[in-house]
Amino acid sequence: MAETEVSKKRKRPIVRLAVLLLSHSVLVSVICCTAGVFGLLLLPVLAKNTYISENALMPGSASSMLSNQEVSEANKLIKELNNLHSNPLGATTESHGIIAKYMSNLGAQVNNHKFHPQLNQFHPLHFFSGPDSGVMQENSTRSLYGINTVGIIRAPRGDGKEAIVLVTPYNAVKGGVRETLSLGIAYSVFSLLTRVTWLAKDIIWLVADSQYGEYAPVAAWLRDYHTPAFSNLDSLNTETCHVGNNNFESKISYGIRRSGTMAAALVLGVAYGNENEDTLGIYAEASNGQMPNLDLINIVHYLAVHRQGLRVKVEQFHWLLNSKWVKSLGEVFESLGKMVKTLNPDWKLGISAADYVEGAATLASSLYHQALGVPTGPHGAFRDYQVDAITLEFSLRISFDRLDRRNDFLLHGGRLIEGVIRSVNNLLEKFHQSFFLYLLTSPSKFVSVGVYMIAFALLVAPLPVVAASLYAKTLDLNPTSEKDKSATSNELGSVLQSWKWLNSVKTVFVVHFWGATVSLLPYFISQIPDSDPTTNFSVWILLSILSLEILRWILVSPSSHIYGLPQGEWATLKSATISSFFIGLGLMSVINFATAEIGALLMVPMALMAHPLKLDVRGQSLRSILRMICNLVLGVISFPPATFFVFKGVIEGFSGINAGDFWNWVESLWAWNSATYLYIGMVHLPCWVLCVQILLHPC
Amino acid sequence: MQIEASLWNASWATDGGRMQISLSYAPFEARYRGFDVARCSVDKSSDMNQFSSSGSVLKQGGGEEFSEELLLKPFPDRKVLAHFHFQSRAPHSSSHGRHHHLFPKAIAQLVKKFRVKEMELSFTQGRWRYEQWGGFDPLSSNNAKPPGVELWAVFDVPQSLVDVYWRNLTHTLSGLFCASINFLESSTTYSAPELTFKPSFGNLRYGTLPREAVCTENLTPWLKLLPCRDKAGLSALMDRPSIYRGFYHSQRLRLTSSESGSDEVDSGIGLEQTLTVVLQPSSWRTGKTYSVETNIQPSWSISSIFGRNIPGKCVIAKSSNVYLHLDNGLVGELKNLERENAKYVANTFESEGFQSNHAFKISVTPDKVFEEVDYLHGKSTSVIYGFSVEKYSDSQPFDLGLTWKIPVVWSCQQAPLHASRFLMGSGNERGAIAISLESTESSEGLPTSHIIDGRCELRVDIFQVVPWYIKVYFHTLQVFVDKQPRAMADVVDKIRVSPSKDKVSPGVMEMILKLPCGSKSAAFSLEFDKGFLHIDEYPPDANQGFDIPSALISFPSFNARMNFSEDEFLNNSPILSKFQETSPVLSYTEVLLIPLTTPDFSMPYNVITITCTVFALYFGSLLNVLRRRVDEEERILRSRAGRKAGWISQLLSRLSAKLRGRPQEQPTSSLPYSFISFRLVLKILLVASIAVTWQYYFG
């Protein structure tokens, strides 16, 4: 009997493998999930050292030409701007005049760019769409405007097809040495570049008026640079309002001057540092987790460390640095690495525990900022136009008031910028050699897409397996139940039975539709005049619950009682939920990988484990009780607001948590057109609701 | 007559590098064998006179003549223009035979062979800055060229043959000038303008190579066409480092040939070679001046700009002159200053030119002063000082210097509209080209001789060639005049569009516009889609992007010409008679760089791998399905199971049977299955342990 069955039911190996996987879906999901999480934890160990991929860049091969003369000129500008600030009245208008005067004395072409700060508003249909020309808010912002000053050096022998952009945010109202120092660095470089002969690309220096935020002026300038409106009836740039008493100012045009295609952009900033060394912070994340080419970060890092002796840092989660479990994990990996080294000294997996903690903190921050989808600085605006850009933030250990110290700083900063510009200037093609998809674990270490994908793939792999096995099980279950009632069942009933999954899919679809409505609700809620975040948040939750009930009442209730056969229904529902979640995660991983990774980390265990509580209560075994507890904990944690509050509590302490914080966070997401918002609204939340529905399933 | 020999170490001379020349054996002795010199008979009466050193007056050797001239002009932005003008003329070969005394034979053959009626070839590096260097005078209209190579030619052949002749011409020129002009052979690179460029009857071809790099390699063959090369005369000034250090460098060659015209002077071939360079006097470079107060123009001399002097004239040149041109803006400013001065200082410098006045000093007394005569209105006119080089020699070289005494600020006369062209939009899919015309101040005082039907209109011609992979939608042409959208028919008088054909011909747009006189600005935008190229059509540096050649904007209502009072000297000076010719004001726009989608060029390897895998899988399973017979496999399996179970297992079982001393038992069919899998695991373990020990001890 056994022999004939084996030979008869012998299937092709691929089918056998699939059947094997399906039959052991629990084991597979446990192994894969653990491996996925482990892979993620292993990433700091697997990080590779960065290297400069594009040969044409040749950073640091030419000696720096920036001398004390340029620095003293820059000091003159700083002094003049600081003096101006002693009488704040009219400082704004005059400061533009002074900067423009200095620029044009160098022989650069100068123009002013006037812009209205755009209020961040929710455009439900503007996700992923390119920047529009001439889309201006009509209301209330007319009177507010800022003025950017733009100076362009034309490359002496270049053909003007390409340009390198240097941006210094400058808040004339606020003033202070901090604001003017970045101008000083840029000016010293700019004055050098007007005289050099090696320039092949034009240099654009944008002094961004940052009184309405640092991002808005840069974005406005880029918009007008790339998509000018020819037919603005009350165009900004034609207005001839010259407040300045300076005769010179009237000569500066308000029409935008252009150069060629932008090759790269550097945003300079200066921060008060309270650290022991001069440091240089690099911010690279643009909207939706897009990163500039790794080569740009590499040359900055190389020049800063090996030429100017600055310490380079990228953002870290400081709370992770002190956490015990990361440290102990690092120790484990360290001992593992040592063990591996005894096996083969060529395997360099060893990483010290301290390095691991640093790497993990940086990696977590890198992952978080990419997942958030909100740019970390004005450089984000450039990425929308496919320009590689980073923000460099200098921080000094002592105050800037001492002149010799300041000169030293200007010299080093200027030489760094000069070196970077010279490297980019060498570039014949646009940045394309190095990575665009990577996570940083330190300024000089990165994890490329090929490595970090594995963790995500492992985490996601059990989803289709479990979905298929659940579906297969319900198919197996149904015939037996049908056999019992074979007398009463007819042809139609069996057909309906085999199409029963449609019902669950409909539920899933309805919940996803609800998710879409929930994501649209904030647009209407934000129209409510003067309301605080907490009330907005509660209104949002109330409306969401209401709409869910209405939808369920309209769409779900009539069909759910056709067959009084709840047995196994939760399984098809879970199977459909998992499949839809899998599709959602797959799509999201293409748009913003980091979001998908974090989402998978939060939601995959919940989705895999969901099991009706009633059955668990009835089960009474240790296993079912454990599962019930896990389900309850996961169910709380993976609810987006709960996740947010837990996360915030861990980082900042639970004392200062306000219900409105979540609303603010979400608001910032949609204001920046982050795809993460869509993910939360249309993939994560529906999946959570469906899981909760499975948990509460009356079976 | 002389014979020269040279030693070559190039690969073709040394049998592919196998027979290297060792220069350590120098000096070498060369012997000529089998040497046969074919010489032409010399007409003694003319040629002996021609090279006689008695006088500077040359007789026209066989009707051929050559003249050299240099024009220097200070620019408002502290730079100096040097414009070399060499003109050779030869009578037509039909009347004077095939031999030339002065005229380059290569050119004469080219004209004869390809029946070139008119041709212009320019090599340009850098861009002409219309805002600072002016765009109205004949100098800039004729000599400001787009970066790279521009070639146009008119042929004296039937229209059907023009393309063939053009192709041959490009190849010849490519060899002659060591440039990749042969790329203009492809029909995707050249076009046949009809409306705007030059009046032609279908036998004109126009092509540009914006990316062609210009260097001494191109200059040397150009100099070879001169009778004195750069050994004597004005061309001796061409010190390569100093002329290539300039801000603009354009070498141009223009040919005109007329078939046995009745006019004695114009018949034959005329060759006009010009080199236009804009240089920075070095005095400014060393002394860095930052402050506004010292904006005194830099003083310069020929020796300080070029590092050389003029060692007398080229002996066979008919005339050899140097001119100093002060344009009308400068002269007007000087007159103003003089008038102001006259109020305080009693003595006046009326007329006598300005050669030694309070503003500047010229080191050499000019032989001649030409003042432009403006018939139309009493505006200031430009002044040209002429110097004859004939009386200078090696021992007493000519060195012209200009020393400024007081700061003078002026501006050059600009074209009526300043044209700029830029790209709009972002992304790799589509974009738009915009051409914007802004009125300059100089256009207001211009003669309004172009009143048509009582309406004052300004005629502007635009000629734009777009490569085929930029798919321009000509119907999307939008016109804005003074920031108001206008119907196309209101502004565009005539338009000729030939849409691009993929891989065959570029898109050409010619427009004749009639703008209202008072209009301040005009803008045109055209949308396009970016095309995909075939993988082998990408250039080696595909990631740099692709160039759109400059558009040509001309203003036929304005004539760039100077009027001088009649003087017989003028007729002897080709450069001044050239200035008096009527030609429209021309200006070129910037070259644009469009980033196209480029494939990852390492991709073919990956694609091959993936496609091979997919094909193998597909065909494997397809063949499997096709050749499979139902139940055949099971039958075979069963019969095989009955017969034997693998020779290894058989061997093993036989071995164990022998060891145990028991008769061999036939294994059952279910046993080997489990036995094999157990063995498989054993085997794997064995191999793994061998590998680990190997790795441990020998790795």
Side-chain angles (χ1 to χ4, degrees):
Chain A
M1 164 83 194
E3 182 189 332
T4 51
E5 217 171 77
V6 165
S7 56
K8 236 179 205 170
K9 289 220 167 177
R10 189 114 192 250
K11 285 172 184 164
R12 307 195 47 215
I14 197 157
V15 180
R16 259 188 297 157
L17 196 71
V19 170
L20 189 77
L21 276 179
L22 290 189
S23 57
H24 301 290
S25 65
V26 177
L27 189 69
V28 167
S29 51
V30 167
I31 290 175
C32 281
C33 279
T34 325
V37 174
F38 181 72
L40 196 61
L41 292 175
L42 202 62
L43 285 185
V45 183
L46 297 175
K48 283 191 288 185
N49 281 328
T50 54
Y51 55 95
I52 287 154
S53 185
E54 171 72 86
N55 290 329
L57 284 169
M58 296 189 292
S61 56
S63 58
S64 190
M65 291 166 79
L66 195 80
S67 65
N68 280 315
Q69 198 173 2
E70 281 86 20
V71 169
S72 61
E73 290 299 323
N75 261 325
K76 231 183 261 173
L77 171 71
I78 293 175
K79 210 168 164 190
E80 194 162 341
L81 284 173
N82 284 340
N83 287 344
L84 193 74
H85 204 260
S86 51
N87 57 333
L89 278 171
T92 22
T93 47
E94 260 180 63
S95 65
H96 295 300
I98 288 172
I99 295 166
K101 191 181 79 189
Y102 269 79
M103 277 184 190
S104 68
N105 283 351
L106 291 175
Q109 294 184 321
V110 189
N111 71 296
N112 282 339
H113 168 246
K114 203 168 174 189
F115 67 97
H116 291 307
Q118 271 185 311
L119 288 183
N120 281 330
Q121 278 195 337
F122 184 42
H123 304 287
L125 298 175
H126 275 204
F127 279 101
F128 310 125
S129 69
D132 270 331
S133 79
V135 178
M136 294 296 239
Q137 266 79 46
E138 292 305 315
N139 43 9
S140 77
T141 52
R142 280 283 128 186
S143 53
L144 291 175
Y145 67 88
I147 295 174
N148 295 331
T149 312
V150 186
I152 300 180
I153 306 175
R154 306 281 177 193
R157 283 191 292 278
D159 42 13
K161 291 189 293 195
E162 287 177 285
I164 303 170
V165 187
L166 201 62
V167 182
T168 48
Y170 173 64
N171 189 346
V173 178
K174 206 164 124 205
V177 191
R178 194 181 90 91
E179 294 283 330
T180 47
L181 263 186
S182 61
L183 280 185
I185 293 175
Y187 180 78
S188 63
V189 176
F190 202 68
S191 67
L192 173 76
L193 293 179
T194 48
R195 288 180 292 106
V196 294
T197 50
W198 45 260
L199 218 56
K201 298 178 165 72
D202 291 356
I203 305 290
I204 305 177
W205 179 20
L206 169 68
V207 180
D209 188 353
S210 63
Q211 46 180 321
Y212 306 106
E214 291 188 349
Y215 185 89
V218 181
W221 178 73
L222 277 171
R223 194 171 51 240
D224 284 349
Y225 188 96
H226 285 104
T227 52
F230 291 117
S231 61
N232 255 5
L233 295 183
D234 50 350
S235 174
L236 288 165
N237 295 326
T238 50
E239 288 171 28
T240 48
C241 55
H242 301 296
V243 197
N245 46 7
N246 197 339
N247 188 26
F248 176 79
E249 195 164 317
S250 59
K251 274 191 266 173
I252 296 170
S253 74
Y254 275 81
I256 196 151
R257 272 177 199 277
R258 284 183 179 79
S259 181
T261 315
M262 293 174 196
L266 297 171
V267 185
L268 303 184
V270 173
Y272 283 118
N274 42 11
E275 293 173 47
N276 310 327
E277 290 176 87
D278 291 357
T279 54
L280 173 73
I282 297 179
Y283 299 88
E285 287 88 0
S287 56
N288 283 326
Q290 300 180 78
M291 298 291 278
N293 196 289
L294 189 57
D295 266 345
L296 189 59
I297 296 179
N298 287 347
I299 48 173
V300 171
H301 177 258
Y302 177 86
L303 289 170
V305 172
H306 298 291
R307 289 288 181 275
Q308 307 307 330
L310 293 165
R311 201 171 71 87
V312 177
K313 64 180 170 75
V314 286
E315 275 180 295
Q316 286 183 328
F317 277 150
H318 291 285
W319 54 272
L320 264 179
L321 288 176
N322 306 322
S323 82
K324 290 249 166 52
W325 65 272
V326 178
K327 215 170 272 176
S328 50
L329 204 64
E331 277 154 14
V332 169
F333 280 127
E334 189 180 358
S335 52
L336 265 178
K338 272 178 191 156
M339 213 178 72
V340 166
K341 212 164 201 172
T342 54
L343 284 178
N344 186 348
D346 286 346
W347 291 347
K348 291 196 177 79
L349 280 178
I351 180 173
S352 71
D355 277 353
Y356 179 82
V357 174
E358 284 270 328
T362 316
L363 181 78
S365 148
S366 181
L367 202 59
Y368 171 75
H369 281 111
Q370 285 190 26
L372 211 56
V374 176
T376 47
H379 59 268
F382 286 95
R383 194 64 238 173
D384 296 342
Y385 299 90
Q386 288 84 43
V387 181
D388 292 294
I390 50 173
T391 297
L392 306 177
E393 195 180 64
F394 296 94
S395 52
L396 272 170
R397 63 187 154 174
I398 332 172
S399 79
F400 311 116
D401 301 332
R402 279 175 54 198
L403 196 67
D404 54 335
R405 188 73 196 94
R406 191 205 284 173
N407 283 348
D408 198 32
F409 168 72
L410 285 179
L411 197 65
H412 281 298
R415 281 186 172 166
L416 171 67
I417 304 302
E418 184 208 338
V420 176
I421 285 180
R422 193 155 189 175
S423 267
V424 176
N425 184 60
N426 286 341
L427 207 60
L428 268 177
E429 309 173 73
K430 66 181 185 221
F431 280 107
H432 72 285
Q433 283 280 356
S434 199
F435 294 91
F436 281 101
L437 302 169
Y438 55 89
L439 295 165
L440 288 174
T441 63
S442 87
S444 61
K445 282 193 157 189
F446 75 106
V447 187
S448 81
V449 58
V451 177
Y452 68 64
M453 274 242 309
I454 297 169
F456 176 72
L458 283 171
L459 213 53
V460 172
L463 290 178
V465 174
V466 169
S469 83
L470 276 173
Y471 184 64
K473 260 182 212 161
T474 52
L475 280 187
D476 285 346
L477 216 61
N478 283 337
T480 54
S481 65
E482 210 171 343
K483 261 176 209 163
D484 299 340
K485 305 175 186 179
S486 55
T488 53
S489 71
N490 51 8
E491 198 65 15
L492 185 72
S494 69
V495 168
L496 279 178
Q497 210 66 57
S498 63
W499 286 93
K500 201 165 70 84
W501 58 270
L502 262 185
N503 201 24
S504 331
V505 169
K506 201 176 80 181
T507 318
V508 170
F509 174 74
V510 165
V511 173
H512 278 267
F513 181 71
W514 168 77
T517 17
V518 168
S519 344
L520 282 179
L521 280 177
Y523 173 63
F524 301 105
I525 297 172
S526 63
Q527 307 284 329
I528 303 170
D530 23 83
S531 55
D532 63 324
T534 317
T535 48
N536 278 344
F537 182 49
S538 39
V539 166
W540 190 21
I541 286 188
L542 280 176
L543 280 177
S544 305
I545 292 169
L546 195 71
S547 57
L548 182 63
E549 287 306 317
I550 290 170
L551 273 176
R552 186 183 293 194
W553 180 65
I554 293 172
L555 291 164
V556 180
S557 56
S559 58
S560 65
H561 299 294
I562 286 180
Y563 344 91
L565 197 92
Q567 188 180 19
E569 202 212 331
W570 68 268
T572 43
L573 183 62
K574 185 176 167 183
S575 157
T577 307
I578 287 177
S579 337
S580 72
F581 182 54
F582 178 67
I583 293 166
L585 272 184
L587 285 177
M588 195 59 210
S589 71
V590 178
I591 297 163
N592 188 348
F593 182 84
T595 311
E597 172 80 56
I598 291 180
L601 208 59
L602 289 170
M603 202 66 206
V604 165
M606 166 91 185
L608 289 177
M609 217 175 256
H611 197 258
L613 290 175
K614 240 182 201 171
L615 288 180
D616 280 342
V617 171
R618 243 183 272 155
Q620 291 291 347
S621 69
L622 182 70
R623 189 180 160 202
S624 60
I625 288 171
L626 264 180
R627 180 162 60 192
M628 190 173 74
I629 291 169
C630 278
N631 268 331
L632 285 176
V633 170
L634 285 174
V636 170
I637 282 182
S638 53
F639 181 47
T643 321
F644 173 77
F645 289 124
V646 167
F647 196 66
K648 201 171 156 69
V650 168
I651 298 174
E652 294 169 13
F654 285 93
S655 54
I657 284 183
N658 183 10
D661 289 346
F662 184 71
W663 173 265
N664 289 334
W665 184 72
V666 167
E667 200 173 36
S668 82
L669 283 189
W670 54 250
W672 292 103
N673 278 0
S674 168
T676 308
Y677 176 72
L678 286 188
Y679 166 78
I680 290 174
M682 294 170 76
V683 179
H684 200 97
L685 191 66
C687 181
W688 180 81
V689 168
L690 286 165
C691 285
V692 168
Q693 206 170 343
I694 293 164
L695 288 185
L696 303 176
H697 196 273
C699 42
Chain B
M1 198 183 220
Q2 67 179 36
I3 294 166
E4 283 178 17
S6 57
L7 277 173
W8 283 85
N9 206 7
S11 62
W12 53 264
T14 57
D15 203 7
R18 267 176 280 149
M19 297 167 68
Q20 287 292 341
I21 293 172
S22 174
L23 293 173
S24 57
Y25 293 118
F28 296 101
E29 191 181 311
R31 292 206 184 92
Y32 295 97
R33 274 185 299 180
F35 197 77
D36 184 22
V37 185
R39 63 181 182 87
C40 352
S41 60
V42 177
D43 181 5
K44 280 191 175 170
S45 60
S46 68
D47 281 59
M48 284 298 113
N49 278 343
Q50 183 176 351
F51 295 103
S52 65
S53 59
S54 60
S56 56
V57 182
L58 278 177
K59 275 201 177 175
Q60 312 224 328
E64 296 179 26
E65 58 181 50
F66 169 74
S67 62
E68 51 174 9
E69 277 163 313
L70 166 66
L71 183 120
L72 297 163
K73 182 180 174 182
F75 274 144
D77 61 344
R78 295 152 184 267
K79 297 184 180 70
V80 177
L81 172 102
H83 175 68
F84 294 89
H85 185 107
F86 305 98
Q87 189 155 337
S88 328
R89 179 168 288 284
H92 207 272
S93 56
S94 57
S95 56
H96 289 265
R98 286 188 290 117
H99 293 291
H100 298 283
H101 305 287
L102 289 172
F103 197 81
K105 196 173 176 183
I107 299 294
Q109 280 175 340
L110 186 134
V111 169
K112 189 159 173 278
K113 196 170 172 193
F114 303 116
R115 310 183 53 117
V116 178
K117 219 167 154 189
E118 225 178 333
M119 186 193 93
E120 190 175 69
L121 171 69
S122 67
F123 296 88
T124 310
Q125 188 184 54
R127 34 200 159 149
W128 184 266
R129 300 178 189 184
Y130 288 97
E131 283 175 76
Q132 282 121 27
W133 303 341
F136 197 80
D137 50 337
L139 193 72
S140 61
S141 284
N142 292 330
N143 294 295
K145 289 284 168 191
V149 167
E150 189 202 47
L151 172 70
W152 60 262
V154 183
F155 298 92
D156 191 18
V157 289
Q159 280 198 27
S160 55
L161 288 173
V162 172
D163 284 339
V164 180
Y165 274 81
W166 165 266
R167 258 174 249 150
N168 290 332
L169 177 70
T170 55
H171 276 275
T172 312
L173 287 175
S174 161
L176 205 56
F177 288 101
C178 295
S180 40
I181 306 172
N182 54 329
F183 284 121
L184 287 175
E185 171 208 34
S186 147
S187 62
T188 54
T189 48
Y190 66 85
S191 56
E194 282 169 15
L195 272 184
T196 49
F197 190 68
K198 227 163 231 305
S200 73
F201 306 98
N203 49 7
L204 183 133
R205 292 293 177 270
Y206 173 92
T208 53
L209 295 171
R211 201 169 282 180
E212 182 73 12
V214 180
C215 64
T216 48
E217 207 172 53
N218 307 118
L219 184 69
T220 312
W222 183 83
L223 280 174
K224 273 188 183 173
L225 302 178
L226 299 175
C228 288
R229 301 208 178 169
D230 57 344
K231 301 285 184 272
L234 297 178
S235 50
L237 280 179
M238 291 180 196
D239 173 41
R240 302 298 192 284
S242 43
I243 59 171
Y244 280 101
R245 202 187 293 134
F247 285 69
Y248 178 80
H249 172 99
S250 173
Q251 86 189 46
R252 198 167 62 96
L253 178 135
R254 184 167 178 159
L255 260 179
T256 44
S257 91
S258 55
E259 194 85 44
S260 57
S262 56
D263 192 352
E264 187 58 39
V265 188
D266 280 343
S267 70
I269 314 168
L271 171 68
E272 182 190 322
Q273 284 173 273
T274 61
L275 174 74
T276 312
V277 283
V278 177
L279 301 165
Q280 181 92 63
S282 55
S283 59
W284 184 75
R285 194 168 291 276
T286 48
K288 296 167 189 166
T289 49
Y290 286 106
S291 48
V292 219
E293 283 75 40
T294 59
N295 58 359
I296 186 161
Q297 288 279 331
S299 301
W300 50 266
S301 65
I302 287 180
S303 57
S304 78
I305 299 175
F306 293 103
R308 291 182 185 179
N309 287 324
I310 299 174
K313 62 178 274 188
C314 170
V315 275
I316 45 182
K318 191 181 109 196
S319 63
S320 175
N321 297 314
V322 175
Y323 300 97
L324 177 68
H325 182 199
L326 305 180
D327 66 10
N328 42 15
L330 175 59
V331 172
E333 191 64 33
L334 288 177
K335 280 193 176 145
N336 281 346
L337 284 172
E338 208 163 279
R339 224 169 287 133
E340 271 174 39
N341 258 28
K343 288 176 191 168
Y344 308 108
V345 189
N347 57 343
T348 53
F349 317 80
E350 264 310 311
S351 70
E352 307 300 324
F354 302 90
Q355 56 260 40
S356 179
N357 58 13
H358 64 284
F360 64 87
K361 185 174 167 292
I362 302 171
S363 67
V364 182
T365 324
D367 298 328
K368 205 92 177 142
V369 179
F370 308 96
E371 258 188 273
E372 196 189 344
V373 182
D374 200 339
Y375 296 112
L376 292 160
H377 50 300
K379 264 180 75 176
S380 54
T381 53
S382 63
V383 176
I384 293 181
Y385 300 100
F387 307 88
S388 177
V389 189
E390 280 160 27
K391 51 181 180 275
Y392 296 93
S393 64
D394 247 337
S395 54
Q396 191 202 355
F398 176 75
D399 188 8
L400 175 70
L402 181 71
T403 317
W404 292 94
K405 295 174 185 162
I406 52 166
V408 183
V409 178
W410 80 98
S411 63
C412 286
Q413 195 182 7
Q414 299 192 9
L417 296 172
H418 174 69
S420 70
R421 192 180 61 159
F422 51 91
L423 285 176
M424 305 202 303
S426 64
N428 279 331
E429 199 185 347
R430 60 177 77 88
I433 305 174
I435 298 175
S436 114
L437 303 167
E438 302 265 339
S439 77
T440 50
E441 280 155 24
S442 65
S443 64
E444 276 148 32
L446 287 171
T448 50
S449 57
H450 38 272
I451 294 173
I452 303 145
D453 300 338
R455 281 170 67 204
C456 173
E457 278 175 334
L458 171 64
R459 185 178 153 185
V460 183
D461 291 2
I462 298 180
F463 170 51
Q464 162 88 67
V465 181
V466 183
W468 65 265
Y469 39 81
I470 311 295
K471 296 181 169 127
V472 177
Y473 296 116
F474 290 102
H475 73 276
T476 58
L477 177 72
Q478 281 182 300
V479 184
F480 301 91
V481 176
D482 286 333
K483 299 197 181 287
Q484 303 279 356
R486 294 284 281 272
M488 217 181 83
D490 293 354
V491 180
V492 180
D493 187 42
K494 238 185 210 171
I495 184 164
R496 178 182 161 267
V497 165
S498 67
S500 62
K501 278 188 209 130
D502 277 9
K503 299 169 198 193
V504 174
S505 66
V508 182
M509 186 183 77
E510 293 176 89
M511 281 200 295
I512 295 177
L513 307 171
K514 292 268 157 69
L515 297 176
C517 270
S519 53
K520 286 261 172 273
S521 72
F524 306 87
S525 75
L526 275 171
E527 286 170 29
F528 62 82
D529 271 359
K530 299 181 184 180
F532 286 105
L533 275 75
H534 192 259
I535 185 133
D536 56 9
E537 283 164 341
Y538 283 100
D541 52 351
N543 274 297
Q544 192 185 351
F546 291 81
D547 290 326
I548 298 185
S550 297
L552 177 65
I553 316 277
S554 56
F555 305 95
S557 356
F558 297 94
N559 289 325
R561 67 173 289 204
M562 291 176 174
N563 298 307
F564 298 103
S565 50
E566 272 310 312
D567 193 327
E568 61 99 26
F569 190 82
L570 283 173
N571 295 329
N572 290 333
S573 159
I575 195 168
L576 294 184
S577 47
K578 192 89 198 155
F579 282 173
Q580 293 201 73
E581 279 175 20
T582 307
S583 62
V585 175
L586 290 179
S587 63
Y588 287 89
T589 61
E590 301 89 340
V591 175
L592 295 178
L593 185 73
I594 294 194
L596 286 188
T597 42
T598 43
D600 179 358
F601 291 102
S602 64
M603 209 55 194
Y605 169 71
N606 301 344
V607 170
I608 287 168
T609 318
I610 286 180
T611 37
C612 283
T613 316
V614 167
F615 267 76
L617 282 175
Y618 173 70
F619 280 112
S621 48
L622 195 72
L623 277 177
N624 199 1
V625 166
L626 285 177
R627 63 162 277 278
R628 184 185 219 169
R629 267 179 269 164
V630 186
D631 289 341
E632 181 85 348
E633 252 173 60
E634 277 103 66
R635 199 169 51 76
I636 291 170
L637 267 177
R638 216 179 297 131
S639 64
R640 195 189 289 161
R643 252 188 296 125
K644 52 172 188 173
W647 62 272
I648 294 178
S649 66
Q650 246 172 350
L651 208 75
L652 274 174
S653 60
R654 216 175 281 164
L655 201 73
S656 67
K658 271 201 181 145
L659 282 175
R660 277 181 234 153
R662 259 183 289 167
Q664 190 186 354
E665 52 181 326
Q666 277 295 323
T668 56
S669 59
S670 61
L671 185 68
Y673 188 65
S674 60
F675 186 57
I676 283 167
S677 70
F678 172 66
R679 247 187 27 217
L680 200 70
V681 171
L682 251 180
K683 258 192 251 172
I684 289 167
L685 277 179
L686 190 73
V687 170
S689 60
I690 289 170
V692 166
T693 45
W694 179 272
Q695 194 62 261
Y696 190 74
Y697 287 108
F698 305 104

